[in-house]
Amino acid sequence: MAFPQSVLFCCDHNAVRSPMAEAMMKKFYGQRAYVQSAGVKNDMEVDGFSIAVCAELGIELSRHRTRSFEQMQNLGDDLGQFDLIIALSSASQHSALDLTKSYHLEVEYWPIIDPTALGEGRDAKLSAYRQARDQIKTRILDRFGPPSEPQIP
């Protein structure tokens, strides 16, 4: 598969999985593709555990601002501008397919665990978030190949 020029990652709230995926994609491949993320809803801020587990890989996530599909469209971002949409939750897959049914673009579904409801206590929560992060990292590297940035912890 050819490397896409633009990728949109999406999940339920754009607070955990899709921001991690966006940040990893930018870290691994730099300017090779235009990368954004969005959620079905925008009712949360970026999750602190997501920030922490991404920082372990040298990936900055604390400045991420969540946004929804609706906000993207209100700001003039056309979903049809993306070559590829990658849905990380079933709700976002359904929304992405519905919103892009008149466009010719690819929507992939990567079923990544939602770590927000997993684990009791800080260590167990961090473990669940690391699992989601590592699932995303594996899928990105499998789908897009070796990173442009040589250092991946």
Side-chain angles (χ1 to χ4, degrees):
M1 287 183 252
F3 199 92
Q5 291 184 333
S6 56
V7 179
L8 176 69
F9 289 99
C10 56
C11 66
D12 296 344
H13 303 276
N14 192 226
V16 178
R17 293 169 285 183
S18 58
M20 285 199 279
E22 175 188 353
M24 278 188 231
M25 185 85 177
K26 288 177 176 177
K27 172 79 172 174
F28 298 164
Y29 305 105
Q31 299 296 315
R32 207 165 154 199
Y34 174 74
V35 182
Q36 290 293 315
S37 65
V40 175
K41 301 177 208 167
N42 174 28
D43 56 355
M44 303 170 72
E45 292 298 319
V46 68
D47 187 284
F49 287 110
S50 295
I51 293 169
V53 299
C54 282
E56 294 173 351
L57 300 183
I59 297 171
E60 166 61 41
L61 199 58
S62 65
R63 291 191 303 258
H64 178 78
R65 297 295 165 250
T66 61
R67 65 185 184 158
S68 66
F69 288 125
E70 183 179 343
Q71 286 174 310
M72 283 183 70
Q73 292 173 316
N74 290 343
L75 293 172
D77 286 334
D78 181 3
L79 294 179
Q81 74 182 341
F82 292 95
D83 297 325
L84 174 63
I85 295 177
I86 299 175
L88 306 175
S89 70
S90 60
S92 65
Q93 177 195 26
H94 294 297
S95 290
L97 288 170
D98 186 51
L99 292 168
T100 62
K101 59 187 168 203
S102 63
Y103 299 112
H104 180 71
L105 58 84
E106 189 177 356
V107 177
E108 292 182 12
Y109 175 50
W110 297 358
I112 304 297
I113 64 161
D114 179 1
T116 59
L118 302 176
E120 291 293 324
R122 181 175 172 74
D123 289 340
K125 284 236 171 257
L126 282 169
S127 179
Y129 278 75
R130 286 182 187 113
Q131 183 181 355
R133 176 202 65 199
D134 294 346
Q135 284 180 341
I136 294 166
K137 178 181 170 185
T138 297
R139 292 298 298 255
I140 286 174
L141 294 174
D142 287 349
R143 173 66 169 82
F144 300 108
S148 306
E149 298 289 322
Q151 73 285 348
I152 297 181

